[in-house]
Amino acid sequence: MEAKDSSISMQTQIALQVKLFQLHREGLERLTLTQLIDTMNGLRWRKGQPKSLNACVDDIFSISKEEIVIYLSKKAIIDGYSSKLSDFEDLIGGN
């Protein structure tokens, strides 16, 4: 569950880990820290991470599991659309 991002402070990473454990208990057992960080950067912190730790923690704990699932689903569709069929050989049994 280790995801080091030099733009994220240690305190913010701890808050993200706590949120990740909460989300695991709520049914998102396969969610990774990297996916959570991507979601935060894509939804809450598009214009940059807040300067204060309080604002970061508020953002982290206010995001819902539904928002995360919707964001990651849309991201997967977009990423899949821009991929080549050969990128999915391991899923569809290519040689």
Side-chain angles (χ1 to χ4, degrees):
M1 274 194 242
E2 193 85 12
K4 296 292 181 192
D5 187 337
S6 59
S7 66
I8 297 178
S9 72
M10 181 62 76
Q11 294 90 347
T12 303
Q13 286 191 25
I14 292 169
L16 286 162
Q17 281 284 6
V18 171
K19 179 65 175 185
L20 182 64
F21 292 139
Q22 176 190 0
L23 291 164
H24 285 173
R25 285 191 313 273
E26 292 177 0
L28 296 180
E29 299 90 7
R30 297 184 69 191
L31 184 71
T32 66
L33 184 58
T34 301
Q35 290 171 322
L36 181 56
I37 291 170
D38 287 346
T39 303
M40 293 306 299
N41 287 329
L43 285 179
R44 300 283 202 242
W45 301 335
R46 281 177 288 196
K47 296 181 181 178
Q49 189 177 337
K51 299 295 181 207
S52 76
L53 178 60
N54 255 2
C56 285
V57 171
D58 285 345
D59 284 347
I60 292 166
F61 285 99
S62 68
I63 196 163
S64 69
K65 67 181 183 177
E66 290 81 12
E67 288 177 287
I68 294 168
V69 169
I70 290 168
Y71 175 79
L72 291 174
S73 297
K74 287 180 182 179
K75 186 176 183 306
I77 291 168
I78 292 167
D79 291 348
Y81 182 75
S82 62
S83 299
K84 296 177 281 188
L85 187 57
S86 61
D87 295 337
F88 300 99
E89 285 179 347
D90 60 327
L91 297 174
I92 57 176
N95 296 359

